[in-house]
Amino acid sequence: MRIFVFFFFLSTSFSFTQNAKKADSILVLLRGTDLSKERQSELYNQIAFFHENLDTSLLLAKKSLKIAKEIGSQKLQAAALEEISHVQRGLGNNNLSIEATLKALRMYETLEMTEQQAATYNQLAINYMQDKNYPMGISFLKKALGIYSKSDKIGNQLATILNLGEMYRLEGHLDSATVCFKKILSFKQKNISKSLIAYSQGNMGMVFNTKDSLQLAERYLLDAISIVEELGDPYATSVYIAELGNVYQKQGDSNASESQLLAALTIAKKEGLKDQIRDFSKKLTQLYEAIGKYDQALHYQKMFQVYQDSLVNKANIQGIERIKASYEIDKRESEIGLLHTINTNQRYLLLALGGGVFVTLIFLYLLFRGNKKIQKANSDLSRQKAIITHREQEKALLLKELNHRVKNNLQMIASLLSLQSYELNGHPAKEAILAGKDRVEALALVHRKLYQEGVTTRIAIREYVEELVWGLFHGYRMKFEPELIIERTTISVDTAIPLALIINELVINSIKYAFVDTAHPKLTIKIKELDSILRLEVIDNGKGFSLDKGTKKHSFGLKLITSLVSQLDGSLKKKDAKGTYWQIELKHKVHHTNLTSIKDQNDMVLQKSNTLYS
């Protein structure tokens, strides 16, 4: 959860307040016949700011920018670029938003408009925060603060300090975040905005919760909640109440934690805050699992999954609609440009052939025929482009949805196995069920990487193995850290799934059996790429492992490893060493894929995944 306040500073000669005219009122002004180009640019920019439809806002802001360029006003161009940046960020086009903001910043620097420069620094900080590039966001906020500290606009200065504190909190620099929030709270008696006080107190409470200073966290959160409730801010209210529930859970008061989380969920449902409904239902699932109420845990797990799927589908649909809107915009601009070129040529021709009416008529006739052919050709090309674009979008969406569904199904299976294991305490089958859960989670990790990173057939092996191994160490509550020496390379999904199961089996075997009576346990995993060979080494300093003994006692795990290595045309060796030293070499293939083959490859991966557990 994050609370981030951003004040939009406008760089034009006018300013917007809560009492500013709305889009319809400004449209009336725009219909005036005696408006200057400068005023038209300003009004288009105002309508774009207030318009509810982002696509329409983008068109209006671009219209404002075009007029500003015609009259050569850098000030109005910068203002239009700022609005374009806001809209692009709202549409999810963060790169385009950053590009527009940087253009505006260069113009403000040329015009030496320092206050507007600070506003663009804040905008860039928001962009980098959305990309989770907190160091860059912090650097731009510091630049903005350097400007506001020299001005008399204390509100802008405190808002920037608040944003800087929140950016520090998200980055994990809790002491720096505390300094920022305390500085704002030191102005508490100076009649500053209540929202600044509330967000500072609430975010301070989050910092203390992270530090496990639970009494301070509770006090600050309660103070923040009382203010945001008075201000009628349901989003901040629900976030802070949920955070208070986390504090109570840490304090061991499950009833109070449950009450707060349910209250936060009720507010989120009433206000239609889907992101918060998803997050709060996940927290409730974790709470009920911790206190053994598995029916309730399953209920909120299903709620979490429903809203997670809903948000993902909404994002996909919005992405498709943005692509369609962009295509229509480009098409219109192309037609306008073509018509403008034709009109210009016609004017020049009429001036040059003013005395030759007959020649002019012949030329217009030929131009008309040529124009019709161009329009027909453009129409055919547009139809073909639309068909191709639609098909490619369908393929990409279907593939992404397929990976998403596979990931969700695997995660649901793992959750069900985990819940079932609680019912088998002391039963011999519990260990087998937990082992099966670990293998399913290893497969789910592959599909999570595919879905989150937007790739189709290849996975970065270093990040993937690190997440897998650290997840196992966390799950088994190991008190030492593994040594991971992994080269940066990528592997195909065909290799990633068997490799995940191999590493899963070897690491769990070491965790469970190798370090009995070992004073300084150590587990090392090395992966390096040698020409067309991928070498995996798993080394521990435990009590050692006998193949004969292992075959009898852990036959399924060893058979699974042997089968997977054979499937990948690899080799498995157990080398002599103190402890256990496995060396596995696999053929490393490079794949070049395209959209027409992605579905077939994904079907093959699913078929292999099902074969392993059939």
Side-chain angles (χ1 to χ4, degrees):
M1 294 293 176
R2 60 173 176 252
I3 297 290
F4 203 88
V5 181
F6 181 69
F7 290 80
F8 292 96
F9 306 99
L10 300 181
S11 60
T12 54
S13 59
F14 50 84
S15 63
F16 297 107
T17 67
Q18 292 181 348
N19 296 322
K21 296 179 180 180
K22 301 299 181 183
D24 292 340
S25 300
I26 302 172
L27 278 171
V28 175
L29 295 176
L30 192 59
R31 295 192 185 102
T33 57
D34 57 346
L35 294 177
S36 65
K37 289 285 188 177
E38 180 177 352
R39 186 57 177 160
Q40 290 178 32
S41 177
E42 291 177 354
L43 291 176
Y44 275 120
N45 208 28
Q46 289 187 51
I47 299 171
F49 179 80
F50 288 113
H51 207 287
E52 296 180 353
N53 185 281
L54 292 177
D55 291 325
T56 302
S57 293
L58 184 60
L59 283 172
L60 292 168
K62 286 185 175 181
K63 179 68 174 177
S64 174
L65 178 62
K66 182 179 179 181
I67 296 174
K69 286 181 178 179
E70 289 175 358
I71 62 178
S73 172
Q74 282 194 325
K75 183 178 178 181
L76 291 176
Q77 289 179 54
L81 286 167
E82 278 194 278
E83 186 57 38
I84 289 171
S85 174
H86 300 328
V87 177
Q88 292 287 16
R89 191 181 72 253
L91 290 170
N93 303 323
N94 213 30
N95 290 336
L96 295 177
S97 177
I98 292 174
E99 180 183 346
T101 305
L102 289 173
K103 289 180 180 178
L105 177 60
R106 286 193 290 270
M107 292 181 181
Y108 287 139
E109 289 174 344
T110 301
L111 297 170
E112 297 182 353
M113 299 173 69
T114 56
E115 294 283 336
Q116 286 74 10
Q117 291 175 41
T120 56
Y121 289 145
N122 275 283
Q123 170 67 22
L124 288 168
I126 294 290
N127 290 123
Y128 285 111
M129 182 204 68
Q130 290 190 340
D131 286 340
K132 296 184 178 180
N133 188 344
Y134 302 126
M136 285 294 294
I138 290 170
S139 69
F140 280 112
L141 286 173
K142 286 182 177 179
K143 290 182 179 180
L145 187 58
I147 294 175
Y148 288 134
S149 63
K150 300 175 183 178
S151 71
D152 59 352
K153 296 183 178 179
I154 188 65
N156 292 345
Q157 181 181 347
L158 293 180
T160 304
I161 294 173
L162 174 61
N163 291 342
L164 183 60
E166 179 62 1
M167 195 80 79
Y168 277 132
R169 186 184 74 83
L170 294 171
E171 177 67 2
H173 300 324
L174 300 183
D175 292 337
S176 298
T178 302
V179 171
C180 291
F181 297 142
K182 284 185 176 179
K183 186 169 185 178
I184 296 171
L185 294 176
S186 68
F187 287 82
K188 189 174 182 180
Q189 304 302 326
K190 297 185 179 180
N191 197 28
I192 66 171
S193 168
K194 282 188 176 181
S195 61
L196 286 174
I197 297 296
Y199 296 150
S200 298
Q201 290 179 327
N203 292 3
M204 180 77 87
M206 290 181 174
V207 170
F208 282 126
N209 186 22
T210 305
K211 290 182 173 181
D212 290 332
S213 300
L214 302 181
Q215 291 183 346
L216 288 172
E218 179 183 4
R219 190 186 81 189
Y220 277 101
L221 286 169
L222 286 172
D223 289 344
I225 290 168
S226 66
I227 299 176
V228 293
E229 284 180 339
E230 178 186 344
L231 293 173
D233 186 344
Y235 171 79
T237 302
S238 66
V239 171
Y240 291 145
I241 290 176
E243 188 74 11
L244 186 60
N246 293 340
V247 173
Y248 289 144
Q249 185 176 3
K250 287 184 178 181
Q251 291 176 339
D253 192 344
S254 299
N255 291 332
S257 176
E258 178 185 18
S259 175
Q260 296 299 323
L261 288 173
L262 288 173
L265 182 61
T266 300
I267 295 172
K269 286 183 176 180
K270 180 180 177 181
E271 300 297 329
L273 306 173
K274 290 188 177 182
D275 287 331
Q276 280 59 56
I277 296 173
R278 175 196 61 191
D279 295 340
F280 300 159
S281 60
K282 183 177 182 180
K283 289 181 181 294
L284 283 165
T285 300
Q286 295 168 345
L287 172 65
Y288 286 127
E289 282 184 351
I291 63 179
K293 294 184 179 181
Y294 300 115
D295 290 342
Q296 291 289 81
L298 185 58
H299 169 74
Y300 286 105
Q301 173 65 25
K302 290 179 179 178
M303 181 183 294
F304 164 77
Q305 206 62 61
V306 167
Y307 278 91
Q308 175 72 1
D309 291 345
S310 174
L311 291 169
V312 169
N313 290 337
K314 179 182 177 182
N316 289 338
I317 292 171
Q318 288 176 340
I320 292 173
E321 291 302 321
R322 285 197 296 273
I323 292 172
K324 291 181 178 178
S326 297
Y327 169 71
E328 291 298 328
I329 291 170
D330 291 341
K331 181 181 176 182
R332 290 175 185 176
E333 290 181 348
S334 177
E335 291 175 348
I336 292 171
L338 178 61
L339 291 174
H340 178 72
T341 301
I342 292 173
N343 290 333
T344 301
N345 290 338
Q346 288 177 342
R347 283 197 300 270
Y348 287 142
L349 287 170
L350 287 172
L351 290 173
L353 303 176
V357 176
F358 178 74
V359 176
T360 301
L361 291 175
I362 294 177
F363 174 78
L364 290 175
Y365 171 74
L366 295 175
L367 184 62
F368 174 77
R369 288 189 59 184
N371 185 40
K372 293 294 289 184
K373 290 180 180 180
I374 291 172
Q375 289 180 347
K376 185 177 183 302
N378 285 339
S379 177
D380 292 340
L381 288 174
S382 296
R383 283 196 298 270
Q384 292 174 6
K385 182 179 179 181
I387 293 171
I388 293 171
T389 301
H390 180 68
R391 289 177 179 174
E392 297 301 324
Q393 291 169 356
E394 285 183 341
K395 290 177 183 178
L397 183 59
L398 286 173
L399 176 62
K400 193 171 186 180
E401 186 65 16
L402 177 61
N403 282 328
H404 177 53
R405 294 298 178 187
V406 171
K407 173 183 72 73
N408 285 348
N409 290 340
L410 290 172
Q411 288 179 341
M412 182 63 75
I413 292 170
S415 297
L416 292 173
L417 290 174
S418 179
L419 291 173
Q420 186 65 41
S421 68
Y422 286 112
E423 305 294 332
L424 295 175
N425 284 330
H427 196 282
K430 181 175 180 178
E431 185 173 351
I433 288 178
L434 289 176
K437 179 187 76 91
D438 290 333
R439 293 175 183 129
V440 172
E441 287 180 342
L443 292 175
L445 179 59
V446 177
H447 289 280
R448 187 162 74 251
K449 288 291 183 182
L450 286 172
Y451 179 69
Q452 290 178 345
E453 298 176 6
V455 298
T456 53
T457 59
R458 300 191 70 78
I459 292 176
I461 187 171
R462 181 173 180 178
E463 290 77 8
Y464 169 64
V465 174
E466 285 178 348
E467 185 173 347
L468 174 63
V469 175
W470 277 107
L472 291 172
F473 266 63
H474 176 74
Y476 282 90
R477 297 191 175 102
M478 301 305 292
K479 296 182 179 179
F480 68 97
E481 297 181 356
E483 182 181 12
L484 303 177
I485 305 173
I486 303 170
E487 290 186 353
R488 289 193 178 275
T489 185
T490 61
I491 57 176
S492 67
V493 176
D494 295 352
T495 304
I497 291 177
L499 184 62
L501 293 173
I502 291 170
I503 294 175
N504 184 77
E505 294 297 322
L506 293 177
V507 171
I508 289 178
N509 185 64
S510 292
I511 289 173
K512 293 172 67 176
Y513 304 109
F515 303 115
V516 177
D517 298 329
T518 301
H520 302 288
K522 181 179 180 182
L523 178 64
T524 302
I525 298 176
K526 300 179 180 180
I527 299 179
K528 63 174 61 176
E529 187 178 22
L530 305 171
D531 295 331
S532 61
I533 299 297
L534 190 70
R535 177 180 292 172
L536 165 66
E537 296 174 296
V538 181
I539 309 163
D540 67 56
N541 65 342
K543 65 180 182 179
F545 175 80
S546 171
L547 285 176
D548 294 335
K549 181 180 178 181
T551 303
K552 295 176 182 178
K553 193 171 182 179
H554 309 289
S555 58
F556 178 77
L558 190 57
K559 286 181 179 178
L560 178 60
I561 293 171
T562 304
S563 174
L564 292 170
V565 172
S566 176
Q567 175 184 321
L568 296 173
D569 294 329
S571 63
L572 172 66
K573 296 179 184 179
K574 181 179 178 300
K575 303 177 73 173
D576 293 332
K578 183 179 179 180
T580 303
Y581 187 156
W582 294 98
Q583 179 178 293
I584 298 171
E585 293 187 346
L586 310 172
K587 289 186 177 180
H588 185 38
K589 300 177 180 178
V590 178
H591 294 279
H592 299 282
T593 179
N594 52 51
L595 287 174
T596 59
S597 63
I598 286 174
K599 184 178 183 299
D600 294 336
Q601 293 179 12
N602 204 67
D603 290 340
M604 180 173 65
V605 171
L606 291 174
Q607 183 178 3
K608 289 187 177 181
S609 299
N610 294 330
T611 302
L612 291 172
Y613 285 91
S614 63

